[in-house]
């Protein structure tokens, strides 16, 4: 039986804190239905219920009806939310170790991110998250972010000089644009379209599905494949929920998480392709950057500042560099 529910925030919050048995998991998701991560989370909890003969079941609430990600993180830490698809970018305020994936050019490409996160490093990061009450049992693909604007292609760092780019509200991204010679403007995502249209900013940065679904392709005709940020999302569970499972059910839940990740990555790849095709038909010109290393070589000060704030990032960086 399908377990996905869409309800009012008040009803959902009431259910989340109802104190039901821990095997009846409450799930949070910021995305709407019929989105790659949403479909993968749906599949995960449905398959877990079937595979455990109902010993573990759950209700998944899409569209952030249980609150913001910050709210959901806090609820997971106290055990009121049991599983979720979290973006690691805003998680850094609660769990600084996760800032590792927000470092510009930390991954060579998306496939490198898969190899890193699916291997010993991903397990290490999950273990380091666990004292905060949250652990990752899978890493979803949330895309590769690149620059787009309505003025010119960006092929080399000097093309960024003097340009104003909207970035997410994170000092790492402000510093990244500054090192490339541009000016970063943190701004709510809902404000970006009009800001691009009126020239408040010259450009922004995001992955192709977000570029397309937000209609930014209508007001930004150059999309340059800088791939400067590759930030996975986690299939995360509450450590309280995980520790309540029998060893047998832990194996089952992990197996279904692995299947969910494989499903999501396949769906995401298809969505990226479709989004790019739609944007190209609307007149957007996509271009590769001439020399990605010329961009990444400028990020030293960004890394130094991040390591100073969170020293463990230094060893994380070394671990990631060891993965071909």
């Amino acid at each position: 039986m399908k377990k996905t529910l869409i309800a009012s925030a008040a009803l959902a919050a009431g259910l989340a804190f109802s104190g039901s048995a821990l095997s009846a998991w409450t799930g949070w998701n910021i995305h709407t239905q019929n989105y790659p991560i949403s479909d993968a989370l749906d599949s995960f909890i449905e398959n877990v219920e079937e595979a455990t003969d109902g010993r573990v079941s759950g209700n998944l609430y899409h569209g952030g009806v249980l609150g913001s990600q910050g709210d959901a993180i806090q609820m997971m830490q106290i055990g009121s939310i049991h599983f979720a698809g979290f973006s690691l970018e805003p998680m850094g305020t609660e769990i600084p170790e996760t800032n590792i994936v927000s470092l510009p050019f930390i991954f060579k490409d998306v496939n490198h991110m898969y190899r890193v996160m699916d291997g010993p490093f991903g397990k290490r990061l999950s273990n380091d998250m666990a004292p905060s009450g949250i652990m990752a049992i899978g890493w979803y693909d949330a895309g590769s972010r690149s620059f787009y604007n309505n003025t010119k292609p960006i092929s080399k760092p000097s093309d960024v000089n003097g340009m104003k780019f909207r970035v997410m509200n994170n000092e790492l991204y402000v510093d990244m644009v500054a090192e490339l010679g541009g000016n970063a403007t943190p701004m709510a995502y809902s404000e970006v379209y009009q800001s691009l249209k009126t020239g408040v900013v010259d450009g922004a940065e995001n992955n192709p599905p977000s570029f397309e679904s937000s209609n930014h392709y209508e007001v930004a005709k150059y999309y340059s494949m800088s791939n400067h940020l590759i930030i996975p999302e986690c299939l995360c569970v509450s450590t309280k929920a995980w520790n309540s499972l029998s060893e047998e059910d832990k194996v089952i839940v992990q197996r279904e998480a692995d299947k969910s990740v494989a499903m999501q990555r396949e769906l995401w790849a298809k969505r990226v392709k479709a989004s790019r095709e739609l944007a190209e038909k609307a007149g957007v010109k996509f271009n590769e950057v001439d020399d990605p290393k010329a961009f990444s070589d400028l990020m030293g000060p960004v890394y130094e500042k991040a390591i100073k704030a969170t020293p463990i990032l230094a060893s994380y960086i070394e671990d990631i560099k060891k993965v071909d």
Side-chain angles (χ1 to χ4, degrees), residues 44 46 59 70 73 76 86 109 126 129 141 151 165 167 172 192 220 228 232 247 278-279 288 304 306-308:
F44 165 71
E46 290 165 12
N59 297 323
I73 288 172
M76 182 171 282
F86 283 143
D109 52 34
S126 178
M129 293 164 61
D141 187 355
T151 304
F165 280 93
V167 296
L172 284 172
V192 178
H228 51 266
E247 291 304 312
L278 187 153
E288 302 292 334
E304 290 172 9
I307 291 169
K308 184 176 181 180

Side-chain angles (χ1 to χ4, degrees), residues 40-167:
L41 287 168
D42 283 339
S43 176
F44 165 71
I45 195 61
E46 290 165 12
N47 290 340
V48 163
E49 179 174 355
E50 181 177 355
T52 61
D53 296 322
R55 293 188 301 276
V56 181
S57 62
N59 297 323
L60 174 60
Y61 298 93
H62 294 296
V65 296
L66 297 182
S68 68
Q69 174 161 311
D71 296 331
I73 288 172
Q74 291 178 9
M75 286 189 277
M76 182 171 282
Q77 288 175 318
I78 64 173
S80 296
I81 285 179
H82 307 103
F83 73 103
F86 283 143
S87 170
L88 295 190
E89 178 269 321
M91 188 177 282
T93 56
E94 294 288 338
I95 307 176
E97 291 84 353
T98 60
N99 278 327
I100 182 63
V101 298
S102 286
L103 288 174
F105 303 100
I106 189 64
F107 301 115
K108 299 173 186 176
D109 52 34
V110 170
N111 286 328
H112 182 236
M113 182 272 286
Y114 292 165
R115 295 192 296 273
V116 170
M117 303 309 290
D118 292 345
F121 176 80
K123 293 179 180 178
R124 178 187 176 188
L125 182 57
S126 178
N127 289 338
D128 288 346
M129 293 164 61
S132 296
I134 296 173
M135 57 183 290
I137 57 174
W139 306 100
Y140 290 145
D141 187 355
S144 180
R145 300 175 72 101
S146 293
F147 292 113
Y148 52 87
N149 72 93
N150 202 34
T151 304
K152 61 184 178 182
I154 293 171
S155 298
K156 53 188 180 300
S158 60
D159 292 330
V160 179
N161 284 346
M163 295 187 72
K164 294 180 291 184
F165 280 93
R166 179 269 176 180
V167 296

Side-chain angles (χ1 to χ4, degrees), residues 223-246:
Y223 190 103
S224 303
M225 304 293 290
S226 53
N227 299 315
H228 51 266
L229 292 171
I230 301 174
I231 307 175
E233 297 197 8
C234 68
L235 171 48
C236 282
V237 298
S238 160
T239 55
K240 292 182 179 180
W242 180 259
N243 292 334
S244 75
L245 298 174
S246 67

